[in-house]
Amino acid sequence: MEDIHISPETVGEAGVENEVLVVPEALDEIFRNKDLVVKEPFTVHYVVEREKDSEDIHVGVDVQGEIETFCARCLETMTYPVDLHLETSYMPASPEMSKNLEEERTSSATGYYRKTIRLGDYIASELVLALPLRFICDEQCKGLCPECGANLNREECRCGGKPVDPRLQKLSELKEKIRKE
Ligand SMILES: [Zn+2]
Ligand SMILES: [Zn+2]
């Protein structure tokens, strides 16, 4: 995605609109997580507009695609749809800013540019931030029985799923203690 660049000079009153495909290999580079598999290219659609009589550039981005992964509760494979909308503005960088202007960002809403806007870098970092920490196949997913490992979405579990009675647990701990003393 590094190659999605915009030259603000070329953005006139009418703005610029474009759509690019990002190949799975490039997305693997961004996610750096072998549990996330991308099979089809992602679509990145963006609209660039110049604010009237200004050097500020506004960009709207839509990213769409699918990630194959597995549910953190039931461990079944699942498809996670990516449908991300981003809005950001770019202002001319001041001379004392570093070469890596993405690092100069203080919020996702405002970035900086010199000759070109490195839109791909911004999209890549926002994409990573937008991913959930844990992928869940369904909010209602019941997960696996912690006792016998049965998938509780599909079957009644073999052990009855009853957690050990805390009072019995205490009693057995006590017995254990007595035996040791
Ligand atoms: Zn699940
Ligand atoms: Zn069970």
Side-chain angles (χ1 to χ4, degrees):
M1 220 181 289
E2 288 143 28
D3 53 350
I4 306 180
H5 288 181
I6 299 164
S7 305
E9 294 165 5
T10 65
V11 181
E13 286 261 316
V16 170
E17 186 170 359
N18 199 7
E19 187 164 295
V20 293
L21 292 177
V22 181
V23 295
E25 295 73 44
L27 292 155
D28 289 345
E29 278 288 301
I30 292 165
F31 296 141
R32 293 181 180 280
N33 181 344
K34 61 178 170 41
D35 294 336
L36 306 181
V37 178
V38 178
K39 290 183 177 157
E40 299 291 332
F42 277 26
T43 310
V44 174
H45 179 259
Y46 59 89
V47 177
V48 186
E49 286 163 323
R50 178 184 292 278
E51 316 233 338
K52 209 169 169 24
D53 303 323
S54 160
E55 289 188 281
D56 295 0
I57 303 284
H58 183 262
V59 189
V61 187
D62 282 290
V63 185
Q64 278 165 329
E66 282 182 349
I67 297 171
E68 313 260 311
T69 186
F70 53 85
C71 173
R73 284 188 201 155
C74 69
L75 307 180
E76 293 288 309
T77 56
M78 58 172 276
T79 302
Y80 179 80
V82 173
D83 190 359
L84 187 64
H85 181 74
L86 305 169
E87 299 267 347
T88 189
S89 291
Y90 285 88
M91 301 192 295
S94 60
E96 65 269 18
M97 285 181 173
S98 74
K99 247 186 142 187
N100 185 344
L101 290 175
E102 265 313 299
E103 284 178 4
E104 298 288 345
R105 263 185 193 276
T106 49
S107 81
S108 62
T110 311
Y112 303 95
Y113 72 90
R114 285 202 175 91
K115 274 207 152 71
T116 57
I117 291 174
R118 301 176 62 89
L119 189 61
D121 292 351
Y122 164 74
I123 298 171
S125 61
E126 291 297 311
L127 192 52
V128 171
L129 287 176
L131 294 181
L133 290 175
R134 296 168 84 233
F135 290 85
I136 305 293
C137 67
D138 187 300
E139 275 310 312
Q140 309 297 317
C141 174
K142 296 186 192 126
L144 304 177
C145 168
E147 303 296 322
C148 70
N151 183 338
L152 302 176
N153 297 316
R154 283 204 303 255
E155 53 185 324
E156 293 280 315
C157 97
R158 292 174 285 260
C159 72
K162 287 204 182 74
V164 180
D165 186 320
R167 286 165 304 178
L168 290 177
Q169 181 73 30
K170 273 261 143 53
L171 194 65
S172 75
E173 277 170 18
L174 198 64
K175 276 185 190 162
E176 186 77 5
K177 210 175 157 201
I178 291 165
R179 205 165 41 194
K180 277 184 186 157
E181 277 169 2

